[in-house]
Amino acid sequence: MMKKLVISFLIFFLLSNILPTFALSDNSIKIDAKAYLLMDPITGRILLGKNINGKKAMASTTKIMTAIVALEEGELGSKVQVSKRAAGIGGSSFRLLPKEEMSLENMLYGLLLSSGNDAAIAIAEHISGSVEGFVELMNKKALELGAINTHYINPHGLDAPGHYSTAEDLAIIARYALNIPKFREIVNTKEKTIEEGNFTRKIVNTNKLLWSFDGADGIKTGYTGKAGRCLVASAVKNDIQLLSVVLGTRDHFKNSKVLLDYGFSNYKLVKAIEKSKCSNVVNVENGKEDKVFIQAKDDIFIPKAENEEMRLEMVIPNKIKAPILKNQQIGVAYVYINDKAVYSTPMIAKKDIKEKTLSDVIYDIFRIWLDINKHLSSLSNLSNKSALKLNPRITLDRGWSFGSI
């Protein structure tokens, strides 16, 4: 049964993170873009989209992955030295100079706010020793995240053969990035003054949604001649976070607003799992207790449209061997919307259950022996009483009594 449980979980993970998701369409809204997508980042569910798996140039939205790799592989306080190659790259710039030094943290602000191509090269060389080595890390990370239709040639996003992504992949990558606190902090910064380096820089975020859309909190713009205007955006309203992607558009801010407005108007946050009610009991084998109480690890809230149907399903084993530790995962609870699994959370044990020792086994045997003897004694007493009723007795004058022969 545990094997079946593991296989079920793996299938759910693959379907949620690797296989294409069938997007919804709505004729009530018009989006002028070659590809677009609206995602619920809690579940990864695609709420709306068009051409979500079409491979497109993605311009500086590339830098989302650049930042992910830098944050995971580097130290924020480490000093980045700018090479001639970095300082000489064209396109959007953080105005870095050759041999200038700056912390990796401030370089990341230059990468994500100013969209500095020079910062991207400097970071890549700092982390991996070469741009090429860093790009290998970017491609490896994309595959790890399930962004299988993405391939990087450089860390900045300037047009290059073989450099592409999709709306769905960018949403997958951005969803992951938003779980990194420092990344989230940087992309939600409107402007910053950096006094480190050869001169003081005051930089402003290229993502104008931070000013023009209520609740916007990131994440990255992009533009090249081939890619057109691109934007991966995030916003939070009424406790719901939504993630949008637009690729190949003339007005990335306008189209992103339309997508986000649609999401916030049509989806409300509901409690999908209440952990105290999502519970069950599993038999315990060779434990000091015969059963273990399990329940969902967390309360789960997800966005849901009014016309969608939601249900819960638990996958748990018939029995489990002791010992069992408190909070040990024993099953999985799945949330289904319109009969499609959209989220899962572990089912965990509520207490420790120790394995039986030799003395426990001996005690159990002794207890069983006592119960058997007690039962036999009861049967014997019952038999004697029956015998008394069947055998009338002759009473003698001296008070003696004998059963009839």
Side-chain angles (χ1 to χ4, degrees):
M1 186 64 188
M2 286 303 294
K3 183 178 180 181
K4 180 180 177 182
L5 175 65
V6 172
I7 292 172
S8 298
F9 182 78
L10 288 174
I11 290 172
F12 176 79
F13 178 81
L14 289 170
L15 289 173
S16 300
N17 295 281
I18 297 178
L19 297 181
T21 304
F22 294 98
L24 305 173
S25 60
D26 192 320
N27 295 327
S28 67
I29 66 169
K30 293 183 179 180
I31 305 292
D32 177 26
K34 292 180 180 178
Y36 65 82
L37 175 150
L38 181 67
M39 175 184 277
D40 159 29
I42 296 175
T43 65
R45 186 163 68 111
I46 297 174
L47 309 178
L48 196 69
K50 169 192 168 184
N51 196 19
I52 62 173
N53 291 312
K55 295 176 181 178
K56 306 290 181 187
M58 66 289 206
S60 286
T61 60
T62 296
K63 290 164 183 159
I64 300 170
M65 181 61 81
T66 306
I68 290 172
V69 175
L71 286 164
E72 293 186 343
E73 300 292 331
E75 295 291 335
L76 289 175
S78 61
K79 295 298 181 179
V80 180
Q81 187 173 79
V82 181
S83 68
K84 288 184 179 180
R85 179 180 181 180
I89 189 73
S92 54
S93 176
F94 187 36
R95 296 178 294 155
L96 294 172
L97 302 174
K99 296 185 179 180
E100 188 173 12
E101 286 191 358
M102 194 179 298
S103 69
L104 177 59
E105 181 175 4
N106 282 331
M107 280 288 183
L108 286 167
Y109 276 96
L111 176 81
L112 295 171
L113 270 65
S114 300
S115 198
N117 295 335
D118 46 0
I121 295 291
I123 289 169
E125 292 175 335
H126 173 71
I127 298 294
S128 298
S130 70
V131 171
E132 294 72 22
F134 187 84
V135 170
E136 286 183 14
L137 294 179
M138 294 173 69
N139 285 315
K140 180 181 177 182
K141 191 67 182 181
L143 289 175
E144 287 178 6
L145 298 181
I148 59 176
N149 292 311
T150 293
H151 187 260
Y152 298 104
I153 297 296
N154 60 60
H156 42 68
L158 291 176
D159 293 333
H163 190 87
Y164 56 81
S165 189
T166 69
E168 182 173 21
D169 279 6
L170 283 170
I172 290 170
I173 293 164
R175 179 191 180 201
Y176 179 85
L178 287 170
N179 285 312
I180 303 174
K182 194 63 184 181
F183 179 92
R184 194 160 187 156
E185 174 190 320
I186 294 173
V187 296
N188 194 24
T189 301
K190 292 180 178 179
E191 54 187 49
K192 185 175 180 65
T193 299
I194 297 176
E195 298 180 350
E196 190 181 19
N198 290 9
F199 59 93
T200 299
R201 294 169 170 85
K202 184 174 182 179
I203 57 176
V204 179
N205 201 316
T206 58
N207 183 8
K208 303 308 177 188
L209 283 190
L210 294 177
W211 288 267
S212 64
F213 190 86
D214 183 32
D217 61 356
I219 65 173
K220 190 68 192 76
T221 60
Y223 173 77
T224 65
K226 183 179 179 181
R229 298 198 179 278
C230 307
L231 176 60
V232 180
S234 168
V236 179
K237 191 178 293 186
N238 299 325
D239 296 323
I240 298 176
Q241 181 178 19
L242 294 175
L243 187 63
S244 66
V245 179
V246 292
L247 300 175
T249 181
R250 288 175 291 182
D251 193 336
H252 47 336
F253 298 126
K254 176 183 176 182
N255 287 299
S256 296
K257 287 179 183 179
V258 172
L259 278 171
L260 293 168
D261 277 333
Y262 172 88
F264 290 124
S265 297
N266 288 278
Y267 289 85
K268 306 301 178 187
L269 201 65
V270 299
K271 182 179 278 190
I273 293 178
E274 186 172 347
K275 64 181 181 181
S276 61
K277 294 182 178 179
C278 179
S279 59
N280 215 314
V281 175
V282 177
N283 293 323
V284 178
E285 189 176 297
N286 199 37
K288 289 194 173 186
E289 296 182 40
D290 295 332
K291 298 180 184 297
V292 60
F293 180 77
I294 64 172
Q295 71 175 36
K297 183 180 179 182
D298 300 300
D299 292 327
I300 303 298
F301 296 83
I302 64 173
K304 174 185 161 306
E306 187 175 351
N307 63 348
E308 291 179 322
E309 293 185 1
M310 183 172 66
R311 65 181 175 87
L312 181 66
E313 184 175 299
M314 289 179 280
V315 178
I316 59 176
N318 292 325
K319 60 183 178 180
I320 185 170
K321 287 185 178 182
I324 297 169
L325 300 176
K326 183 179 180 181
N327 296 327
Q328 176 182 329
Q329 182 175 348
I330 295 178
V332 182
Y334 294 97
V335 178
Y336 285 79
I337 291 184
N338 294 341
D339 289 326
K340 180 179 179 181
V342 299
Y343 197 79
S344 70
T345 189
M347 300 286 291
I348 60 172
K350 290 299 295 174
K351 62 184 294 186
D352 293 333
I353 295 183
K354 295 181 179 179
E355 185 178 12
K356 285 183 179 179
T357 63
L358 179 59
S359 60
D360 294 322
V361 174
I362 293 171
Y363 173 76
D364 286 346
I365 293 171
F366 179 68
R367 187 179 61 184
I368 292 169
W369 180 80
L370 286 176
D371 288 343
I372 291 172
N373 275 278
K374 183 178 179 181
H375 183 65
L376 290 174
S377 177
S378 297
L379 289 176
S380 177
N381 290 335
L382 181 61
S383 177
N384 289 336
K385 288 179 181 178
S386 298
L388 288 174
K389 291 179 180 179
L390 291 172
N391 298 326
R393 295 178 179 274
I394 301 171
T395 304
L396 301 179
D397 291 338
R398 294 189 180 186
W400 297 344
S401 63
F402 296 89
S404 59
I405 299 174

